[in-house]
Amino acid sequence: MKAIVVTDQAAGTAGMRLAERPRPEAAGNDVLVEVHASGFTPGELTWPSNWTDRLGRDRTPSIPGHELAGVVSALGYGTTGLSVGQRVFGLTDWTRDGTLAEYAAVEARNLAPLPGDVAFTVGASLPISGLTAWQGLFEHGRLQPGQSVLVHGAAGGVGSMVTQLAREAGAHVIGTGRAADRRTVLAFGATEFVDLDNDTLEDVGAVDLVFDVIGGDIGKRSTSLIRAGGTLVTIAGPPETRPVDGLAIDFVVESDRVQLREVVQRVRDGRLRTVIGNVATLDDAVAAFNPTERVSGKTVIRVRP
């Protein structure tokens, strides 16, 4: 099968190449998915799981990518809950070959049915951003109606999902970004916008929840904005500072079938929009991941027409 492979961690996306790889087998409790679309974020190549297995052994050449949408083509021994020919989408295991390929073996529990009225390209764009937003807001942030949420990077893939879900949950949403992002962030449902280049972040005042995708200085300054009993949720690594009277939680997203169903249902009925910036074929994937101009939104690879 055709797949994108990597062998050199230092090379980043420039080290990707299209190659022939053996088609994977569906082990126990797995399904083999005929991949129709794959989502990818360049930052994934910094994750150790792309390069070593759980025992720290080199596993290159490896196939990156963890988001997919496709059709179940085979079931492993003992696999239940899904059937051959079913449309699915989801998030693959971190330490197995990924989704930038014509086929991928995935644990069945990591997949959810993809409704027929949701395009494969849309389905492939949802798992990481949708699950990260859901888990950060509702599992770790314990968001309640009427609370205030400061969302950093609110125009991005994760931030836009956080903004929309928080607004739907009845929160007062303050989004941050660059000046050019203002209209986009407000359209996603934020009530206020903070230009991080020109506005003073501290003017926001006290909030119940900060969702941080940036880290660094912005993350440190955000801790002082959290009111007593509030929470800083971050996916930018362990926070350098913590709220005086609140929680600081960093987390890694996990696959969850029930949450995937919640996310895709909101896409179907128009409550949630995903941000897709570029759609390319598998043959053109390497060039798509090394663009000559800045692309806003997620890059999705259409593996099959």
Side-chain angles (χ1 to χ4, degrees), residues 106-138:
V106 188
E107 284 189 76
R109 65 186 179 91
N110 291 337
L111 299 171
L114 181 69
D117 56 356
V118 178
F120 287 117
T121 50
V122 173
S125 74
L126 293 173
I128 287 181
S129 56
L131 290 174
T132 299
W134 189 279
Q135 291 166 19
L137 285 173
F138 305 124

Side-chain angles (χ1 to χ4, degrees), residues 137 143 146-152 154 159-176 185-186 188-194 204 207 209 211:
L137 285 173
L143 180 66
Q147 290 186 324
S148 53
V149 182
L150 177 63
V151 183
H152 290 308
S160 63
M161 291 282 187
V162 174
T163 299
Q164 293 173 84
L165 288 173
R167 180 63 181 268
E168 184 200 13
H172 176 88
V173 183
I174 306 163
T176 77
V185 171
L186 296 177
F188 278 127
T191 304
E192 302 178 46
F193 177 79
V194 178
V204 166
V207 297
L209 175 64
F211 199 120

Side-chain angles (χ1 to χ4, degrees), residues 16-97:
M16 290 177 152
R17 63 184 177 86
L18 186 65
E20 286 290 329
R21 296 291 292 164
R23 182 184 297 187
E25 300 287 337
N29 299 314
D30 277 355
V31 297
L32 183 66
V33 178
E34 180 186 78
V35 180
H36 283 243
S38 172
F40 179 77
T41 303
E44 294 178 28
L45 294 184
T46 65
W47 301 347
S49 56
N50 285 295
W51 311 100
T52 58
D53 63 18
R54 288 188 172 90
L55 298 177
R57 299 171 300 194
D58 179 81
R59 70 178 194 87
T60 58
S62 59
I63 301 172
H66 296 290
E67 300 170 283
L68 87 166
V71 175
V72 175
S73 64
L75 303 177
Y77 178 78
T79 299
T80 60
L82 296 172
S83 58
V84 173
Q86 186 172 10
R87 299 172 96 246
V88 293
F89 76 118
L91 189 63
T92 66
D93 186 272
W94 304 122
T95 55
R96 299 175 68 177
D97 274 343

Side-chain angles (χ1 to χ4, degrees), residues 135-257:
Q135 291 166 19
L137 285 173
F138 305 124
E139 289 189 354
H140 303 295
R142 300 182 182 276
L143 180 66
Q144 299 297 317
Q147 290 186 324
S148 53
V149 182
L150 177 63
V151 183
H152 290 308
V158 172
S160 63
M161 291 282 187
V162 174
T163 299
Q164 293 173 84
L165 288 173
R167 180 63 181 268
E168 184 200 13
H172 176 88
V173 183
I174 306 163
T176 77
R178 300 186 181 279
D181 298 327
R182 179 183 299 273
R183 181 175 297 179
T184 299
V185 171
L186 296 177
F188 278 127
T191 304
E192 302 178 46
F193 177 79
V194 178
D195 176 356
L196 291 177
D197 291 329
N198 299 297
D199 297 333
T200 302
L201 178 61
E202 287 72 15
D203 288 346
V204 166
V207 297
D208 297 293
L209 175 64
V210 172
F211 199 120
D212 180 27
V213 302
I214 300 174
D217 180 63
I218 293 297
K220 288 191 291 185
R221 291 165 61 193
S222 297
T223 59
S224 66
L225 303 177
I226 296 171
R227 61 169 49 100
T231 306
L232 168 71
V233 173
T234 178
I235 59 171
E240 298 180 44
T241 59
R242 294 176 176 271
V244 174
D245 186 9
L247 297 176
I249 300 171
D250 68 290
F251 75 101
V252 176
V253 64
E254 298 179 352
S255 189
D256 187 293
R257 181 178 291 177

